[in-house]
Amino acid sequence: MDTRFNLFENEIGSRFAKRFAGTAVVIHGSSLPKSTQELMSLRASQINGCGHCVDMHVKEAAAAGESAVRLHLVAAWRESTVFTEAERAALALAEEGTRLADAHQGVSDETWARVRKHYDDDQIAALVCLVALINAANRLAVITHQPGGSYEAGMFAAAVD
């Protein structure tokens, strides 16, 4: 797959990317566990078929100590025993928030109740913003054909510092 367009080499794209990355810094600095952030981002990216973001979030999660077993089971989290109830609530929110066009109700009341049970208001704000952010990132990368495979853990943090 050849990259269609490099947003970072375009003035408008570059300015947007800086501000977009700044929103990620806010979420990363929240009290929402880093592992939960990476698992959610990975799951949304799998659903959206974004190789670039799958690559990034697998490598970032592994670098942060996430186990290979859990990373391999994210796509089948409902049929897996390796995720906590809180993580399962977050993964359900990530899926339902990503599949808005597939579900007439959007995020179900059941999923929302599970999220409320396990997370405080600041963490819920981070969860909701993360679902929006990763879906936007997936769309940017898929539209411009950003391939997966070349990301190295820490590249994002180095780019926003």
Side-chain angles (χ1 to χ4, degrees):
M1 175 172 74
D2 292 327
T3 301
R4 287 181 173 159
F5 187 78
N6 186 333
L7 284 171
F8 300 102
E9 292 177 355
N10 174 273
E11 181 184 349
I12 291 172
S14 180
R15 288 175 39 210
F16 177 83
K18 282 183 181 180
R19 285 160 181 79
F20 190 77
T23 62
V25 170
V26 172
I27 297 167
H28 292 175
S30 74
S31 63
L32 183 65
K34 178 75 169 149
S35 60
T36 302
Q37 293 180 39
E38 294 299 341
L39 294 172
M40 290 176 67
S41 294
L42 174 57
R43 185 62 190 127
S45 299
Q46 290 170 334
I47 292 167
N48 289 324
C50 183
H52 177 77
C53 294
V54 166
D55 184 35
M56 175 190 296
H57 294 293
V58 164
K59 290 174 180 173
E60 289 291 349
E66 191 59 70
S67 75
V69 169
R70 284 169 43 96
L71 291 174
H72 288 297
L73 289 172
V74 166
W77 66 269
R78 282 186 177 82
E79 293 80 26
S80 305
T81 60
V82 298
F83 302 103
T84 67
E85 285 302 312
E87 290 168 336
R88 295 170 76 74
L91 287 165
L93 180 68
E95 280 195 5
E96 292 176 22
T98 297
R99 297 179 190 257
L100 292 177
D102 299 340
H104 69 282
Q105 65 183 6
V107 174
S108 70
D109 290 339
E110 177 185 337
T111 293
W112 189 254
R114 289 173 47 213
V115 165
R116 292 293 302 168
K117 177 180 175 184
H118 294 286
Y119 297 99
D120 65 28
D121 286 352
D122 287 345
Q123 291 171 322
I124 290 172
L127 286 165
V128 171
C129 292
L130 179 61
V131 171
L133 183 72
I134 191 58
N135 277 281
N138 291 162
R139 280 147 180 79
L140 290 168
V142 169
I143 290 167
T144 61
H145 278 186
Q146 301 302 308
S150 63
Y151 184 84
E152 294 180 25
M155 284 175 75
F156 179 79
V160 296
D161 286 342

